[in-house]
Amino acid sequence: YFPETHGITFRIQISVKELLDTDVLLKLLFHLPVNYPSTLPDISVSSDQLTRAQCMDVKDKLLEQAKKHLSEPMVHDLILWIQQHLKYVIKQSATVCNEKTTLSKGTSTEDGIWMLLLHLDHMRAKAKYIKTVEKWASDLRLTGRLMFMGKIILILLQGDRSNIKEYLILQKTSKVDVDSSGKKCKEKMISVLCETKVQSPHKRFQTFEVKEYSTLDELQKEFETAGLTTLFSEFVPPLVK
């Protein structure tokens, strides 16, 4: 793992009585640099009972604790700390992980469900444009909303990551609108506000719908219902200005 000349490296295996009464065997590797403890140790964590993401969470939390002990020997305290707190660390990360692990068990959606939020500058040929977006969403089995609020046009999509990527290609390469002289044109005024994996607090949209909202509050409620309050507050209000 680390060149032996730089400080010392040692492995510790601890068994923590844990989740659903199974023992979790944690393999911890501490690498103490030459000027330890005034420098933090390098830590790596592995365990057959935890996902990689959970091991990363354990490592991050251990490093957070280590910072509190800087300049005093800390390995023993860190081991005691993780024995007492492992279940809380895992609980926090389990909400994110369950979804990853269930999805990765051989379903076709190897990347899980993704979400895309797009902002369009305008639609001249609105009816035709809407039809096109609805057709793409249905062909690619994407759900979500095409949202109009005043001059704001947003497209929120959820689906397989590969289909989301395919949608973006279509959106950017097809002649979806008309220019000021009425000639068909590609969409150039589009911005991808957010492309991210759907996490457990987000609700899945069951259908794709086109909706008009008369106020920002109405639009915000749509996001809130879908568990996307943070997405709304991060990306939408700046568009109103």
Side-chain angles (χ1 to χ4, degrees):
Y1 279 53
F2 303 96
E4 297 301 330
T5 46
H6 305 295
I8 41 173
T9 299
F10 57 90
R11 294 163 199 276
I12 294 176
Q13 291 202 26
I14 51 171
S15 175
V16 187
K17 280 237 172 296
E18 251 329 310
L19 322 152
L20 312 169
D21 304 325
T22 51
D23 289 359
V24 171
L25 189 64
L26 272 189
K27 298 167 191 161
L28 304 173
L29 184 75
F30 289 92
H31 170 69
L32 310 184
V34 182
N35 41 3
Y36 169 85
S38 47
T39 310
L40 289 179
D42 280 315
I43 304 173
S44 78
V45 177
S46 58
S47 168
D48 296 340
Q49 288 87 6
L50 303 180
T51 63
R52 253 180 52 203
Q54 287 172 320
C55 289
M56 286 301 290
D57 282 340
V58 170
K59 174 187 163 164
D60 292 344
K61 290 284 185 291
L62 278 170
L63 284 170
E64 264 173 46
Q65 286 304 309
K67 285 179 188 149
K68 298 177 184 171
H69 292 286
L70 202 53
S71 78
E72 52 187 77
M74 63 186 84
V75 173
H76 182 64
D77 291 326
L78 293 179
I79 292 166
L80 290 178
W81 185 88
I82 198 62
Q83 281 176 312
Q84 289 160 0
H85 293 85
L86 182 66
K87 56 172 168 289
Y88 307 112
V89 176
I90 299 307
K91 258 210 187 86
Q92 283 175 342
S93 69
T95 47
V96 179
C97 283
N98 287 342
E99 194 173 359
K100 285 187 187 155
T101 42
T102 47
L103 278 169
S104 58
K105 288 195 181 124
T107 51
S108 62
T109 56
E110 47 166 359
D111 283 320
I113 299 301
W114 279 67
M115 178 166 62
L116 181 68
L117 181 62
L118 300 173
H119 174 236
L120 298 183
D121 188 68
H122 60 270
M123 279 185 186
R124 286 203 176 89
K126 189 170 170 182
K128 175 185 173 290
Y129 205 132
I130 291 174
K131 270 214 172 70
T132 308
V133 171
E134 285 180 317
K135 182 181 185 315
W136 289 341
S138 119
D139 289 350
L140 293 167
R141 300 191 304 283
L142 300 174
T143 59
R145 300 282 182 266
L146 169 53
M147 303 179 272
F148 295 94
M149 202 283 301
K151 288 190 172 167
I152 296 175
I153 307 167
L154 296 169
I155 303 177
L156 181 60
L157 296 168
Q158 293 178 341
D160 287 4
R161 191 177 189 185
S162 53
N163 292 0
I164 291 261
K165 292 215 173 305
E166 185 65 30
Y167 179 93
L168 262 177
I169 294 168
L170 285 169
Q171 178 82 59
K172 287 175 177 171
T173 55
S174 311
K175 292 187 172 176
V176 278
D177 207 0
V178 295
D179 61 20
S180 51
S181 61
K183 282 200 349 227
K184 289 183 177 179
C185 66
K186 292 179 185 171
E187 178 58 76
K188 294 194 174 69
M189 309 283 284
I190 184 172
S191 42
V192 177
L193 298 179
C194 176
E195 188 178 349
T196 179
K197 191 166 183 167
V198 172
Q199 304 294 352
S200 32
H202 307 152
K203 308 273 189 301
R204 288 289 310 279
F205 288 111
Q206 297 308 311
T207 54
F208 183 80
E209 290 173 39
V210 180
K211 288 192 163 185
E212 304 246 359
Y213 308 85
S214 45
T215 65
L216 197 59
D217 280 352
E218 276 182 25
L219 184 58
Q220 183 167 358
K221 282 207 179 68
E222 182 77 75
F223 277 80
E224 280 170 0
T225 319
L228 300 172
T229 315
T230 18
L231 188 73
F232 176 87
S233 50
E234 194 172 335
F235 297 108
V236 183
L239 302 173
V240 183
K241 293 181 177 104

